Amino acid sequence: VSTDAGSYVSVADNGTTGSTRFGAVSNDFKIDVNSAERLRITSDGKIGAGTSSPKGVLDISGDQPDLVLTATDTSGASGQKMGAINFYNSDPSGDGPNNAAIIEAQHAGSVGNAANLLFKTKVAGSEGADALEAMRISSDGSVGIGTSSPSNKLSLGLTSGATTRLL
């Protein structure tokens, strides 16, 4: 179907009253399901789910939007990564992109759904190295800064001779 509003391909089966259509509108690609827009890729490469005008590279909009990362590996070994959000930067030095920061969830035990949340950062000048753990929130709610095994509600891993100062 081609109109002044865009060109679409519609898909429906005999047993439903709704349909799915996809096609071009202006310079964008969009997908409609049951007469409502569900996904759009704009001409400048932005992807919108639940919005026709995405504000960033990926814009997920809704009353209570969730971004879900599902680990399908059922082994669940303690310390195994469940999922992560990686922040890469471009590196003009020739070493290629760097994983500058990571927020990672990992299994806290071999059974159940307990998880630790790790925050990893990269020190300037560590070309080619991955981001290292800087802070952890353990499954019991303990926070460790500079330590991967917090023993109190707040544990600070200090080098010898370091001064602790909390404001």
Side-chain angles (χ1 to χ4, degrees):
V1 176
S2 182
T3 67
D4 288 339
S7 297
Y8 296 96
V9 173
S10 289
V11 181
D13 64 35
N14 291 338
T16 64
T17 56
S19 68
T20 299
R21 70 180 194 164
F22 57 92
V25 59
S26 299
N27 290 321
D28 298 348
F29 175 80
K30 75 175 207 164
I31 298 174
D32 295 345
V33 178
N34 291 332
S35 302
E37 182 172 330
R38 302 296 182 200
L39 182 75
R40 180 179 293 244
I41 303 174
T42 63
S43 60
D44 60 352
K46 295 177 182 171
I47 300 171
T51 178
S52 61
S53 52
K55 296 170 197 66
V57 174
L58 176 61
D59 186 344
I60 301 171
S61 298
D63 290 339
Q64 296 177 338
D66 289 333
L67 176 62
V68 178
L69 304 175
T70 303
T72 58
D73 183 348
T74 58
S75 63
S78 183
Q80 179 181 359
K81 180 167 74 170
M82 297 167 60
I85 300 172
N86 293 277
F87 299 88
Y88 281 85
N89 62 1
S90 297
D91 181 10
S93 72
D95 288 334
N98 286 295
N99 203 352
I102 304 168
I103 301 172
E104 178 182 312
Q106 69 174 215
H107 288 280
S110 59
V111 293
N113 58 4
N116 299 318
L117 190 59
L118 284 60
F119 297 85
K120 298 179 178 184
T121 58
K122 186 170 181 177
V123 177
S126 56
E127 298 300 323
D130 208 356
L132 299 174
E133 183 175 338
M135 185 175 88
R136 168 186 299 243
I137 302 173
S138 293
S139 62
D140 67 358
S142 298
V143 175
I145 300 173
T147 177
S148 61
S149 53
S151 55
N152 299 302
K153 284 300 177 187
L154 176 60
S155 295
L156 303 176
L158 303 172
T159 57
S160 67
T163 302
T164 303
R165 183 192 221 168
L166 299 174
L167 301 176

